[in-house]
Amino acid sequence: MNSKSSVSSSLYSLARNSLQQSIAWYSSNKRRHWNYPPNVELQVAVRDDLRILKAAGVKLEQQVIKIAAFGLVSRGKSSVINALLGQKILTTGAINGVTKWPKSIPWNLPTSKIQIELIDTPGLDEIDGETRANMAKEISQQSDLILFVIAGDITRTEYLALLELRQSQKPLILVFNKIDLYPETDLKSIYQQLQQLSNETKKPLLNPDEIVMIAAQPQPISLRIELPDGTIEKEWEYPSPNIESLQEKILTILNKEGKALLALNSLTQAKIAQKNIARKTIEYRKKEAEDIIWKYAKYKALIVAINPIIFLDLIGGLITDLTMIRALARLYGLPITSYEAGNLWQTIIKSLGGLFLAEITTMMMLGWAKTTSAINSLWENPASFTTLATTALAQGSIAGYGSYLVGKTAQVYLENGCTWGNSGVDTIIAEIISQMPPDSIISRLV
C-alpha cells in the first residue's frame, strides 16, 4: 500500500470511529439517565435526524461512492452515464426532459478499488424552482462526487447552478459534452469564460484540471457510398463515445481519494444531523437550561462572596463553570467529558475576550480587598466587617454575571452537538482536508 492510500485508509478509520461513537451515543439510553423527564415532542422532532445519522454510518460501512450528474436539459447527462457504463441503459432523445426522476445505476469497474453508483438527474431548468432546489440539495448531499454537464458556452443559469452545487462542499468535475459539435472550443476558452463569470460575481469555481471535454454520444456521420453499378447510397456511421478522459479522471480521483471522499461525505451528513439534533434539543429544553444557568450563577456568586481567599475564589468559580457546562450538556443529551468541558470553557473565555478579562481583573482587585478585610477582622476592627460584606457582595455579583455569560455562550457552542470534540466530525473533517496532498480534489474544498 502506497503512502497516499495509507493516508486515505487511516482517515477512513478515524471517520468510521467518529460515526460509530456518535451513533452509539444518540441511539443508546444514556440520554435518559440525566434525571430529566423525556420530551415526546423532541423525540418526534429528531427522529429524521437520527435516521440520517445512522444512514451516514451505513454509507461508510457499505463503501459505495455515489457520483451524480447535474446540468440543464439537453446537455446529455443520461448519455454521459450511458457512455461510462458502456451500454445504453438510460433513455435518451432529442426531446427535452427525458429524465423525469433521479435514477441510480451501479457502475462495475474491475480497475476501481471501491463500488461506484452513478446517479442521473432531471434537468435543473425543467423543474419548479423550489422542487428543483430541494432535489438538487438532497442528491448533492448524498453524492460523493458531482459531474456538472454542459454543452457549448456556459449560460448564467448554469453558472448560478454551479454556485449552488459548490455550496454543498463536494468535489466537482465540469464535463464539457458534445465537443464534436464545437470543434473550435478548447479547454482554455472554457476556463477563461468561467474566469470571467467568477470575476463578475467574485466567486471563483474551478481549476483547469477540473474540466474534462468529451463526446458521450457523437452525432452520426453521413457517408456517401458508390456501389459497383454506379448508384450512390447514403449510410450513417455512429462513432464510438469519446469518454476515456472522463473515465480516467474519475478513476484517478477515486483510486487516490475514494475512501477519503466517502469519509468526508458521511461525516458531512452526520454533522448536519447532529447539529439539527442539538439545535432542536436546545429549543425544546430552553426553560430547563435557563434554570440551570441561573442556578449555577447563584452558586458561583455565593461561593465567591463567602470565600475570603482570592485564589480560592477563582478556583471555586472555575469549578462551578465547568460543572454548569457539563450539566447543560447532560440536559441536551450531548456527549462531553470533563476534558472537553475544560476546552470549551477556554474557548468561551477567549470568545468573551475583554469582557471576561475585565471581570477577572475586577474580581482580583476586590479579592485582595476582601482578603485584607478578613485579616483585619481578626484584630476585631468593626469597620473591616462592613468592607468585607460590601466587597463580597460586589465580587459575588460580578462572578454570578460572569457565570451567566459563560452559560449563555456555552449554549451556542453546544448547539453544534458533539461535532467539536477530539473525535467529533468537525475535527475529523478538518483532519481529512489537512492531510490530503495539495493537488488532490479534496484539498480544493478549503
Side-chain angles (χ1 to χ4, degrees), residues 69 76-85 87-93 98-105 118-121 217:
K77 299 181 298 298
S78 299
S79 298
V80 169
I81 291 180
N82 283 338
L84 289 171
L85 293 170
Q87 52 184 317
K88 190 172 182 179
I89 292 179
L90 299 172
T91 304
T92 60
V98 173
T99 302
K100 298 297 183 182
W101 303 101
K103 299 175 183 176
S104 298
I105 306 100
L118 300 175
I119 303 175
D120 190 23
T121 65
Q217 190 175 351

Side-chain angles (χ1 to χ4, degrees), residues 159-324:
Y159 185 74
L160 293 176
L162 268 172
L163 286 177
E164 286 185 20
L165 289 171
R166 264 304 193 204
Q167 292 176 3
S168 66
Q169 288 292 297
K170 300 296 174 66
L172 187 147
I173 299 174
L174 183 66
V175 181
F176 191 107
N177 190 24
K178 304 184 181 181
I179 58 172
D180 54 314
L181 302 180
Y182 302 93
E184 301 300 323
T185 303
D186 60 14
L187 188 64
K188 186 176 180 181
S189 65
I190 298 172
Y191 186 68
Q192 287 175 343
Q193 187 185 9
L194 273 174
Q195 197 68 35
Q196 182 178 352
L197 288 168
S198 297
N199 292 337
E200 292 175 7
T201 57
K202 298 181 179 179
K203 294 181 179 179
L205 277 177
L206 299 164
N207 291 331
D209 58 349
E210 293 174 293
I211 303 171
V212 178
M213 306 184 70
I214 65 166
Q217 190 175 351
Q219 292 296 307
I221 301 172
S222 176
L223 300 178
R224 185 174 179 273
I225 300 176
E226 184 176 349
L227 299 178
D229 60 2
T231 59
I232 303 298
E233 287 188 357
K234 286 186 177 181
E235 289 186 2
W236 292 97
E237 180 180 298
Y238 294 88
S240 300
N242 179 1
I243 197 73
E244 289 78 14
S245 58
L246 177 59
Q247 181 172 319
E248 182 180 345
K249 172 71 72 175
I250 292 173
L251 290 177
T252 300
I253 291 172
L254 297 189
N255 286 333
K256 287 174 58 179
E257 309 175 50
K259 283 194 171 184
L261 276 175
L262 191 62
L264 193 63
N265 185 50
S266 298
L267 290 170
T268 301
Q269 287 182 280
K271 173 180 176 178
I272 294 171
Q274 290 180 56
K275 288 190 174 183
N276 282 339
I277 292 171
R279 177 179 53 79
K280 292 172 183 177
T281 304
I282 286 173
E283 181 181 341
Y284 280 94
R285 295 289 192 182
K286 186 180 297 183
K287 184 181 182 303
E288 293 100 319
E290 195 71 16
D291 292 341
I292 287 174
I293 293 172
W294 276 115
K295 181 177 73 173
Y296 280 94
K298 293 174 184 176
Y299 285 168
K300 184 175 180 180
L302 182 62
I303 290 170
V304 171
I306 65 176
N307 181 35
I309 309 301
I310 176 173
F311 294 110
L312 292 181
D313 285 350
L314 296 175
I315 294 173
L318 169 62
I319 294 173
T320 304
D321 284 345
L322 294 178
T323 308
M324 176 179 60

Side-chain angles (χ1 to χ4, degrees), residues 6 25 60 74 84 96 135 147 203 234 243 249 320 334 343:
S6 63
W25 176 272
L60 197 59
S74 299
L84 289 171
N96 288 349
M135 183 271 294
L147 307 179
K203 294 181 179 179
K234 286 186 177 181
I243 197 73
K249 172 71 72 175
T320 304
L334 302 175
N343 286 340

Side-chain angles (χ1 to χ4, degrees), residues 305-306 369-370 373-374 382-397:
I306 65 176
K370 188 173 65 173
S373 297
S384 66
F385 285 104
T386 303
T387 304
L388 178 63
T390 304
T391 304
L393 179 62
Q395 192 182 21
S397 299

